[in-house]
């Protein structure tokens, strides 16, 4: 079964792998990565993987903007 892994989308990109889904489809095992992935970290279509990666990207950008604002607001006294 071919799936797209988004667990590492912000560092390695979307990864296309072959593997097996178990049970109710919430678990996927990939021999290539010797890892187990749970929903929403794997997708059966490239389109849903891209949508998830975009969602992850937006959340990360918002988080970083919040951190920048906090750091810019720091006051240092001599």
């Amino acid at each position: 079964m071919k799936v797209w892994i988004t667990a590492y989308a912000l560092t390695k990109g979307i990864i296309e792998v072959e593997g097996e889904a178990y049970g109710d489809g919430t678990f996927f095992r990939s021999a290539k990565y010797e890892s187990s992935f749970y929903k929403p970290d794997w997708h059966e279509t490239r389109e849903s993987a891209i949508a998830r990666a975009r969602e992850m990207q937006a959340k990360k950008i918002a988080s970083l903007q919040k951190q920048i604002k906090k750091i810019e607001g720091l006051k240092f006294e001599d």
Side-chain angles (χ1 to χ4, degrees):
M1 168 182 210
K2 183 189 299 187
V3 300
W4 289 264
I5 306 294
T6 55
Y8 314 113
L10 299 181
T11 56
K12 296 180 181 180
I14 298 171
I15 303 165
E16 184 178 322
V17 296
E18 290 284 335
E20 294 181 54
Y22 295 101
D24 62 359
T26 59
F27 176 80
F28 179 80
R29 179 130 178 104
S30 168
K32 180 177 180 180
Y33 286 93
E34 297 180 9
S35 298
S36 300
F37 300 96
Y38 296 87
K39 290 284 189 175
D41 291 332
W42 67 275
H43 306 267
E44 294 177 17
T45 66
R46 180 169 172 73
E47 292 76 20
S48 68
I50 290 170
R52 173 67 176 149
R54 286 184 178 147
E55 178 184 312
M56 293 168 65
Q57 180 185 44
K59 286 181 181 181
K60 184 65 173 184
I61 289 170
S63 173
L64 291 171
Q65 287 172 335
K66 185 177 176 182
Q67 287 179 345
I68 289 169
K69 187 174 181 176
K70 182 178 177 180
I71 292 170
E72 286 175 341
L74 292 175
K75 302 287 185 215
F76 299 104
E77 297 179 30
D78 294 6

